[in-house]
Amino acid sequence: MLRATAQCVSSQAMKTRAIAQGTTLRAFSKSADDDQYDLNRDVEVPKSEKRMSALLRRIADSIDAGKGWRITVQGVTLKVPENAECSVEHEREDGFENIELQFKWPIGAKILKKAKAEVAKD
């Protein structure tokens, strides 16, 4: 099986917001409804080779067309914009090789608004 890793939050952006708020940002509720707004989300979803190749083709087609694309990862649907920053990461540790394809973009206004509201409650 191949593994896909979705990382949708920049740790630097989280630190910047935490400093601006004068507090530490915490994870929100882990319920399915609130997971969309969890700033500390880091999810890994196993995929079969067939499903991974179909996903990679769909992503490649969107990039070639200069369009954004959507992906749902454990109940959270993300819209990856056409100008997302793309990178390849290689790690080697504990006897394993690891390649991650990463797409990074700023967190949306709706998520930031919810995060600020949660921080203000504390």
Side-chain angles (χ1 to χ4, degrees), residues 2-105:
L2 298 174
R3 293 187 317 179
T5 300
Q7 183 178 17
C8 59
V9 177
S10 160
S11 61
Q12 184 58 42
M14 285 191 327
K15 290 176 189 172
T16 302
R17 281 192 304 281
I19 292 168
Q21 292 292 324
T23 187
T24 300
L25 295 178
R26 62 177 174 76
F28 302 124
S29 169
K30 291 298 180 188
S31 72
D33 292 337
D34 289 338
D35 212 24
Q36 179 74 31
Y37 305 105
D38 185 353
L39 292 179
N40 296 317
R41 186 165 198 234
D42 188 1
V43 179
E44 185 171 302
V45 179
K47 299 264 186 207
S48 68
E49 281 109 6
K50 185 176 181 177
R51 291 191 70 166
M52 180 62 89
S53 64
L55 174 63
L56 291 172
R57 277 189 199 91
R58 189 170 60 83
I59 292 170
D61 289 345
S62 294
I63 292 171
D64 286 345
K67 296 180 179 177
W69 45 279
R70 292 182 189 275
I71 185 169
T72 300
V73 182
Q74 285 191 348
V76 175
T77 300
L78 303 163
K79 177 166 184 340
V80 181
E82 65 277 358
N83 62 345
E85 186 179 309
C86 305
S87 64
V88 177
E89 182 178 324
H90 171 246
E91 296 175 3
R92 182 181 294 144
E93 65 181 338
D94 301 327
F96 288 93
E97 303 279 2
N98 185 22
I99 300 287
E100 294 179 8
L101 305 177
Q102 295 187 9
F103 300 88
K104 294 181 185 179
W105 64 96

